[in-house]
C-alpha cells in the first residue's frame, strides 16, 4: 500500500486524470480519518491508539493505510481492473472455502471453532463469516454483470459455496444479518422493479415466493428448535438458540451498558482507538466473571466507535456508509449501475452493518469494505458502467500534462517521494517486524535457552514499536517463570527480574489508567518478596477497576502470605458480596474464613451453595492439609470420589487423609470399596492395605 500510494502521488502530481475526484464519499471518508486522528492524539494513550497490538492491529496506522488503499483504487483503477480485483477476491475465497470445508471434514483443525464450527485461515468463525459476507456480495455482483453463461454458473456456484461455509461457521450475527439482507433485497426489488413485461413480472413473483419461503423456514426452525433434528444438530441448535436470557446475550447487554458509561465520560472524541480495555476495567460489573477476564472490544460497532472516537467518530463512521448508499442510488439514476446491482450493494452494506452490531471489524473485513467504498466512489465519478474510471492510461499525452514538465522534474519528484516512502517502510514495517520476530524467537526458546531468550526479549524491546506492551508482558512472564528455577544462575535471575521490574514500572507510567499494567508489576513485586510494594500497586489497580474480582484475589493472597487473615477476609467479603453467584469468590472467602479460625462461617458459606460443607475443591484440600485438619480433608476427598467413582487417585488420597486422621479402619475400608468399583486397582490396593495393617 505504501509503495502504491507513493506511485499514485507521483502520477497525481503530473497527470490530472489521477488526481482526487471530489465526491461526497471522499469527503466523508476524509472527515472520518481526520476524526480518528484527532481521537488518537487526544486519547488516553496515543501510542497504543496509533499502533494497536499484534492481535488486533487496528490503530490509526491501519486506518491511514486503508485510506491510502482507497485513494489508489478509486483514482487508478479502470473498468477491467475492477473486474480483475473482484475476481481475485473470489479466487482467494476458493482457498478459504476449501480450507473451511477440510476443517468441517475433520482433516484440518479448527482452533477456535472446535469440532462444530469452521474458522478458516482467519482463525475465528465470526471473522470468517463477516469476511465471507463480502465475498458473497462480490460473487452476486459479478453474476449480475456477467453476460456469459459459463461465468454466471461459476459465480453462482461460488456464491452458493460461500453461503454454505457461512452456515458452517454457525455465526448467529452473520446469519441474522443475511436473513435481514434477503428481506431488504426482496422488498426493495418488489417495490422498485417495474413489471412492464411478463418476464419481469415472473421474476418478481419468484422473488416474492422465495422471500415468503425464507421467512417461513426461518420462523419454522426457531419455533421447532426443541425438536430432535434441530436440537441434536450442533450448528442448527446454535443458530436457533438466540435468547435474551442466554449467558452470552446477557453479557453483551452488560458490556454495552458499561460502554455507554464510558461514552458519557468522554463523549466528543472518546478514549482513542484500541483503549476499550480501560473502559471495560473502570466500569467492570462483577457478573462478567463468567466471560473472558478482559475485553478489548464492546462487540458492537456502535459502542466501539463511541469509545474509540466519541460521537464524532460514530457519526463519521455512519456517514461513510450512508454516503456510500446515497452514491449507489445516484449512480443508478445516472445509469452507471443497474437497479439489481444498486439494490445488491445497498443490501451488502446494510448486512455488514447489521452483523457488526454483534461483533467488530478486523483487517479481513476492512480490506473488503474499503475495496467496496473505492468501487462506489469510482462509480460516482465515472461516465461508464461497472465503475470505469476514465482510462487515463491510454490517453496521457502532452496536452494532459499540467503543467508541462521535463524528465528531470519527474526524477526530482520521484527522489523527493522516495525519502518519506523509505522512512515509512522503515518505521511502520521494518521495526515492528523485527520486534515481532525477536519476540517470537524468545517465546520459542525460553524454556530451553534462557540466556538466548532474554537477549531476544531485550532486542524486541529496543525497537519500542508495535507490540511494545505485549513484549513487556511476555518479559514479566519469563522473569516470573525462571524466578523459581534453582538451575538458573542466581545472578542471571536477578538481572532478568530487575529488567522485568523496570519494564513493568515503565508500562505503568505509560499506561497509568490500565489496571493490567499494574497487575503485571504487582505480580513481579510479589514474586521477589516486595509484598508491600505489590500491595500498593494492586490497590492502585483496584482504584482503576473497583469491581474486578481478580484484583481482590491478588490483594487477599498478599494478606494471607503475611498471615493477616483478618484483612484477607475483609477483602474477600467485599468482592463476594458484589456477586454471590461467583463460585470462585465463594471458595476463596471460605478458605480465608478457615485460615482465620472461622470454620462455622466457612461451613455456612459452603452449605448455602453446595448443600454440604465438604466440597470437591482442590484449594479446600490444600488448605485443610496445610492446617492439618485431616478429618475435614477426608471429607473433601470423599466429595471428590463422589464426582468420579472410577478415579484411582481420588481413592488413594481419601485413604491417605483417613490415615493422617488416624482413622486406619476407614482407610482400609475405603480401599476395599475402591476395589469393588475399580477391579484393576485390586493389586495396588491390596499392597496399600497390607502396609496399613502392618503399621498397626
Amino acid at each position: 500500500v505504501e509503495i502504491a500510494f507513493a506511485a499514485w502521488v507521483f502520477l497525481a502530481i503530473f497527470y490530472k486524470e489521477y488526481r482526487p475526484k471530489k465526491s461526497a464519499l471522499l469527503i466523508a471518508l476524509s472527515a472520518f480519518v481526520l476524526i480518528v486522528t484527532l481521537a488518537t492524539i487526544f486519547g488516553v494513550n496515543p501510542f497504543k491508539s496509533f499502533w494497536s497490538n499484534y492481535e488486533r492491529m487496528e490503530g490509526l496506522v491501519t486506518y491511514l493505510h486503508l485510506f491510502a488503499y482507497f485513494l489508489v483504487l478509486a483514482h487508478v483503477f479502470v473498468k477491467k481492473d475492477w473486474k480483475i480485483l473482484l475476481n481475485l477476491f473470489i479466487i482467494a475465497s476458493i482457498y478459504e472455502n476449501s480450507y473451511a470445508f477440510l476443517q468441517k471434514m475433520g482433516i484440518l483443525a479448527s482452533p477456535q471453532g472446535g469440532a462444530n464450527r469452521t474458522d478458516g485461515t482467519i482463525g475465528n468463525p465470526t471473522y470468517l463469516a463477516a469476511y465471507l459476507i463480502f465475498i458473497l456480495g462480490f460473487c452476486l455482483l459479478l453474476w449480475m454483470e456477467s453476460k456469459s453463461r459459463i461465468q454466471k454458473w461459476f459465480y453462482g456456484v461460488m456464491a452458493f459455496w460461500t453461503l454454505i461455509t457461512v452456515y458452517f461457521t454457525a455465526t448467529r450475527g452473520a446469519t441474522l444479518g443475511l436473513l435481514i439482507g434477503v428481506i431488504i433485497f426482496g422488498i426493495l426489488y418488489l417495490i422498485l422493479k417495474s413489471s412492464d413485461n411478463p418476464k419481469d413480472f415472473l421474476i418478481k413473483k419468484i422473488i416474492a415466493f422465495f422471500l415468503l419461503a425464507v421467512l417461513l423456514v426461518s420462523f419454522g426452525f426457531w419455533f421447532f428448535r426443541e425438536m430432535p433434528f434441530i436440537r441434536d444438530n450442533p450448528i442448527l441448535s446454535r443458530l436457533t438458540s438466540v435468547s435474551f436470557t442466554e449467558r452470552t446475550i446477557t453479557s453483551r447487554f452488560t458490556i454495552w451498558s458499561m460502554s455507554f458509561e464510558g461514552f458519557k465520560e468522554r463523549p466528543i472524541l472518546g478514549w482513542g482507538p484500541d483503549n476499550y480495555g480501560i473502559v471495560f476495567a473502570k466500569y467492570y460489573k462483577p457478573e462478567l466473571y463468567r466471560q473472558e477476564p478482559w475485553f478489548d472490544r464492546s462487540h458492537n460497532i456502535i459502542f466501539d466507535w463511541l469509545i474509540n472516537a466519541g460521537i464524532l467518530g460514530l457519526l463519521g463512521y455512519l456517514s461513510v456508509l450512508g454516503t456510500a448508499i446515497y452514491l449507489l442510488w445516484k449512480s443508478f439514476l445516472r445509469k452507471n449501475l443497474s437497479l439489481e446491482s444498486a439494490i445488491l450493494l445497498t443490501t451488502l452494506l446494510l448486512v455488514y452493518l447489521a452483523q457488526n452490531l454483534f461483533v467488530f471489524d478486523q483487517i479481513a473485513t476492512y480490506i473488503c469494505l474499503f475495496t467496496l467504498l473505492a468501487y462506489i466512489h469510482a462509480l460516482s465519478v465515472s461516465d461508464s458502467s461497472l465503475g470505469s474510471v476514465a482510462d487515463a492510461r491510454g490517453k496521457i499525452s502532452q496536452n494532459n500534462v499540467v503543467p508541462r514538465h521535463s524528465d528531470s522534474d519527474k526524477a526530482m519528484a520521484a527522489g523527493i517521494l522516495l525519502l518519506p516512502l523509505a522512512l515509512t517502510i522503515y518505521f511502520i514495517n521494518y521495526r515492528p517486524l523485527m520486534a515481532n520476530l525477536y519476540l517470537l524467537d524468545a517465546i520459542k526458546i525460553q524454556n530451553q535457552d534462557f540466556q538466548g531468550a532474554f537477549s531476544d526479549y531485550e532486542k524486541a524491546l529496543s525497537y519500542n514499536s508495535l507490540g511494545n506492551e505485549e513484549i513487556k508482558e511476555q518479559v514479566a512472564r519469563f522473569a516470573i517463570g525462571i524466578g523459581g528455577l534453582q538451575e538458573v544462575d542466581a545472578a542471571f535471575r536477578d538481572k532478568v527480574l530487575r529488567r522485568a521490574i523496570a519494564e513493568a514500572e515503565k508500562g505503568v507510567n505509560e499506561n497509568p489508567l490500565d489496571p493490567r499494567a499494574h497487575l503485571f508489576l504487582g505480580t513481579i513485586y510479589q514474586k521477589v518478596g516486595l509484598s508491600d510494594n505489590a500491595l500498593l500497586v494492586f490497590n492502585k489497580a483496584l482504584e482503576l477497576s473497583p469491581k474486578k474480582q481478580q484484583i481482590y484475589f491478588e490483594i487477599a493472597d498478599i494478606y494471607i502470605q503475611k498471615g493477616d487473615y483478618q484483612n484477607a477476609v475483609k477483602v474477600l467479603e467485599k468482592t463476594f458480596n458484589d456477586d454471590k453467584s461467583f463460585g470462585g469468590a465463594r471458595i476463596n472467602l471460605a478458605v480465608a474464613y478457615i485460615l482465620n479460625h472461622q470454620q462455622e462461617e466457612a461451613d455456612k458459606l459452603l452449605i448455602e451453595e453446595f448443600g454440604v460443607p465438604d466440597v470437591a475443591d482442590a484449594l479446600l484440600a490444600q488448605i485443610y492439609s496445610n492446617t492439618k485438619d485431616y478429618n475435614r480433608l477426608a471429607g473433601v476427598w470423599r466429595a471428590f470420589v463422589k464426582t468420579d467413582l472410577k478415579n484411582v487417585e481420588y481413592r488413594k488420597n481419601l485413604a491417605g487423609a483417613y490415615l493422617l486422621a488416624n482413622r486406619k479402619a476407614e482407610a482400609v475400608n475405603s480401599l476395599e470399596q475402591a476395589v469393588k468399583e475399580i477391579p484393576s486397582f485390586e493389586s495396588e490396593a491390596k499392597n496399600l492395605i497390607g502396609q496399613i495393617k502392618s503399621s498397626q
Side-chain angles (χ1 to χ4, degrees), residues 274-293:
D274 214 48
N275 283 318
Y276 182 78
I278 294 173
V279 175
F280 177 81
K282 184 171 185 177
Y283 296 101
Y284 178 84
K285 295 188 176 180
E287 60 264 31
L288 287 174
Y289 74 85
R290 302 176 181 89
Q291 301 297 315
E292 56 188 275

Side-chain angles (χ1 to χ4, degrees), residues 17 39 43 114 117 145 201 229 233 237 259 265 282 336 366 435 445 482 494 509 541 583 593 597 649 695:
E17 290 85 354
R117 303 178 67 194
E145 298 287 346
F201 184 70
F229 79 97
N233 184 303
S237 63
S259 302
E265 185 175 343
K282 184 171 185 177
N336 278 0
Y366 270 136
I445 65 174
I482 69 168
D494 182 66
N509 292 329
Y593 278 145
H597 307 293
E649 292 304 315
S695 67

Side-chain angles (χ1 to χ4, degrees), residues 89-155:
F89 272 94
I90 294 170
I91 290 170
S93 76
I94 294 175
Y95 179 83
E96 197 64 48
N97 281 316
S98 300
Y99 196 96
F101 176 75
L102 293 175
Q103 288 179 321
K104 185 62 183 174
M105 296 295 293
I107 297 172
L108 293 175
S110 181
Q112 287 200 31
N116 299 319
R117 303 178 67 194
T118 58
D119 56 22
T121 62
I122 294 176
N124 183 296
T126 304
Y127 299 164
L128 175 60
Y131 158 77
L132 290 176
I133 284 174
F134 281 100
I135 298 300
L136 178 62
F138 295 160
C139 288
L140 294 175
L141 176 65
L142 291 172
W143 180 84
M144 289 178 176
E145 298 287 346
S146 296
K147 308 299 181 185
S148 164
R149 180 173 295 180
I150 294 177
Q151 289 181 1
K152 281 189 175 294
W153 270 102
F154 171 73
Y155 295 130

Side-chain angles (χ1 to χ4, degrees), residues 334-396:
R334 294 175 59 209
K335 301 187 184 305
N336 278 0
L337 194 64
S338 67
L339 173 64
E340 291 81 1
S341 295
I343 295 174
L344 171 67
L345 295 181
T346 298
T347 302
L348 177 56
L349 287 170
L350 292 176
V351 170
Y352 155 78
L353 180 60
Q355 67 92 33
N356 257 2
L357 296 178
F358 304 96
V359 69
F360 46 86
D361 273 309
Q362 27 75 40
I363 194 65
T365 53
Y366 270 136
I367 291 174
C368 296
L369 174 64
F370 276 74
T371 300
L372 180 58
L373 294 176
Y375 178 78
I376 293 170
H377 169 83
L379 278 173
S380 70
V381 298
S382 172
D383 294 325
S384 56
S385 62
L386 196 56
S388 172
V389 180
D391 195 352
R393 292 200 291 262
K395 298 179 180 178
I396 292 176

Side-chain angles (χ1 to χ4, degrees), residues 617-684:
D617 184 88
L619 186 56
L620 286 175
Q622 179 186 338
I623 292 302
Y624 285 134
S625 178
N626 291 345
T627 58
K628 299 183 180 181
D629 190 344
Y630 300 127
N631 287 313
R632 293 278 183 172
L633 178 62
V636 170
W637 285 115
R638 280 198 305 270
F640 269 112
V641 168
K642 289 178 182 178
T643 65
D644 186 359
L645 296 175
K646 302 293 184 181
N647 191 304
V648 173
E649 292 304 315
Y650 292 170
R651 301 283 186 165
K652 289 159 66 175
N653 285 332
L654 174 57
Y658 279 137
L659 277 176
L660 290 170
N662 200 27
R663 296 160 65 179
K664 295 182 179 179
E666 289 171 276
V668 170
N669 184 58
S670 68
L671 291 171
E672 290 174 342
Q673 185 62 35
V675 171
K676 295 178 182 178
E677 301 282 352
I678 317 169
S680 61
F681 180 51
E682 182 176 4
S683 177
E684 185 178 0

Side-chain angles (χ1 to χ4, degrees), residues 406-475:
S406 65
D407 289 343
S408 61
D409 292 332
K410 296 177 183 178
M412 181 180 296
I416 293 172
L417 287 171
L418 282 175
L419 178 60
L421 175 61
L423 292 174
T424 301
I425 290 174
Y426 175 73
F427 285 104
I428 302 297
N429 295 278
Y430 176 77
R431 288 175 64 87
L433 173 63
M434 294 307 297
N436 186 230
L437 291 175
Y438 278 120
L439 173 63
L440 289 173
D441 285 340
I443 292 172
K444 288 177 184 177
I445 65 174
Q446 64 182 1
N447 293 325
Q448 296 84 32
D449 182 0
F450 303 130
Q451 296 275 359
F454 182 61
S455 175
D456 285 338
Y457 278 127
E458 288 189 308
K459 291 174 183 175
L461 286 168
S462 68
Y463 289 100
N464 194 33
S465 185
L466 169 64
N468 200 43
E469 184 178 348
E470 183 173 344
I471 297 169
K472 292 179 189 296
E473 292 181 2
Q474 293 292 346
V475 170

